[in-house]
Amino acid sequence: MIPNLLETENLTVRFGGHVAVDAVSCAFRAGELTAIVGPNGAGKTTYFNLISGQIAASAGKVRLLGEDITNLSVAQRCRRGLGRAFQLTNLFPDLSVLENVRLVVQARRNTGFRLLSMADRRTDLYEAAMQVLTRVRLADLRAQKVSELSHGNQRKLEVAMLIALDPKVYMFDEPTAGMSVDEAPVVLDLIAQLKADTDRTILLVEHKLDVIRTLADRIIVLHNGALAADGDPATVMASDVVQEAYMGKELEDV
């Protein structure tokens, strides 16, 4: 039986009288990419924020590798194997491309955060960072300051940092948002490569129907914060009630 790496049990968050995520229970298995879809305001990113710890749950639980992590901080969840790439880039803008990735490698190896003074003396950190940058096709830009990168290259760098973190669970929130048609395939190819590792699981919030059809093994649909559908892509996409009531015109227009 394929193990569950991540589970949410009746996960709920309320903001005043508004229930943004309403008792969502899902289990995510190793070797599976799950696309989380739904109309704007359905609770997709809020659900992500609850899993990764940016928002505290009002009720319910989050389990990673069987451990209850509901009350752990973002950093503690990260150390246990939960990795998150954001809809908006979350980088160190005043450092170089290489320095951004090298710091993640350094943190992953528990060598502390004496930043660049120590990292400059560690050729193993440099080599590991360069391997990741080569993989995302940013090796030629390693010395460039992050603030000077195009938006598309910043998104690729964030994926590189997530790969360097080597998590058990990859979480991507609209990874190609704002990217050109030339830049997006690089990121999508990387996600497809990550799928090949059957020891990991991938969660993907995405609006683009072609991306979902290409990458997803499973689709869950949120509507008004509640779980509206859960199944294989063909079944979920073919459902009239899901297309009309939950996925809406937003996906039909893609």
Side-chain angles (χ1 to χ4, degrees):
M1 183 176 179
I2 300 174
N4 296 326
L5 291 186
L6 177 71
E7 299 174 78
T8 66
E9 178 185 339
N10 295 321
L11 196 59
T12 301
V13 68
R14 302 179 184 88
F15 301 112
H18 174 62
V19 181
V21 172
D22 188 3
V24 175
S25 295
C26 274
F28 303 98
R29 295 180 291 273
E32 183 179 68
L33 188 149
T34 302
I36 302 173
V37 305
N40 288 331
K44 303 182 297 295
T45 296
T46 305
Y47 183 53
F48 253 40
N49 288 338
L50 286 169
I51 293 172
S52 57
Q54 271 75 24
I55 296 175
S58 302
K61 296 182 183 299
V62 180
R63 295 188 184 92
L64 180 64
L65 299 170
E67 178 189 2
D68 186 350
I69 63 168
T70 312
N71 297 318
L72 298 187
S73 68
V74 174
Q76 289 171 323
R77 296 181 197 211
C78 183
R79 284 194 290 271
R80 281 164 171 76
L82 196 64
R84 167 85 183 270
F86 290 83
Q87 186 175 4
L88 300 175
T89 54
N90 191 32
L91 306 169
F92 300 106
D94 294 327
L95 298 181
S96 73
V97 169
L98 175 61
E99 288 163 350
N100 268 259
V101 177
R102 189 165 54 182
L103 287 176
V104 177
V105 173
Q106 187 173 332
R108 174 67 182 169
R109 297 187 181 185
N110 295 317
T111 52
F113 272 105
R114 285 171 286 172
L115 298 179
L116 307 180
S117 59
M118 190 202 78
D120 284 339
R121 299 194 298 272
R122 292 285 300 272
T123 57
D124 58 323
L125 300 180
Y126 171 85
E127 291 168 358
M130 283 302 300
Q131 286 179 358
V132 175
L133 290 177
T134 299
R135 187 172 175 183
V136 301
R137 305 180 197 176
L138 287 176
D140 291 344
L141 298 176
R142 59 187 177 276
Q144 189 163 340
K145 195 174 179 180
V146 168
S147 60
E148 298 170 353
L149 291 178
S150 68
H151 175 73
N153 281 333
Q154 287 188 6
R155 298 310 303 266
K156 285 191 283 185
L157 177 57
E158 189 171 50
V159 174
M161 294 174 72
L162 190 55
I163 291 172
L165 188 62
D166 193 29
K168 283 291 186 182
V169 177
Y170 288 91
M171 301 176 65
F172 294 98
D173 190 354
E174 295 191 48
T176 62
M179 298 184 74
S180 70
V181 292
D182 295 327
E183 293 170 323
V186 176
V187 170
L188 297 179
D189 286 346
L190 286 167
I191 295 174
Q193 291 171 28
L194 295 174
K195 272 188 64 177
D197 189 341
T198 56
D199 291 332
R200 315 299 164 106
T201 192
I202 301 173
L203 275 61
L204 173 70
V205 169
E206 185 55 74
H207 286 94
K208 298 174 183 175
L209 187 57
D210 55 342
V211 172
I212 295 167
R213 283 175 170 160
T214 300
L215 292 175
D217 301 305
R218 170 190 179 195
I219 296 175
I220 65 174
V221 183
L222 297 182
H223 182 61
N224 292 333
L227 183 63
D230 182 355
D232 66 90
T235 302
V236 173
M237 291 291 192
S239 168
D240 288 339
V241 66
V242 168
Q243 289 198 22
E244 293 173 10
Y246 301 127
M247 298 170 74
K249 194 170 184 296
E250 182 180 71
L251 289 183
E252 293 173 6
D253 285 347
V254 175

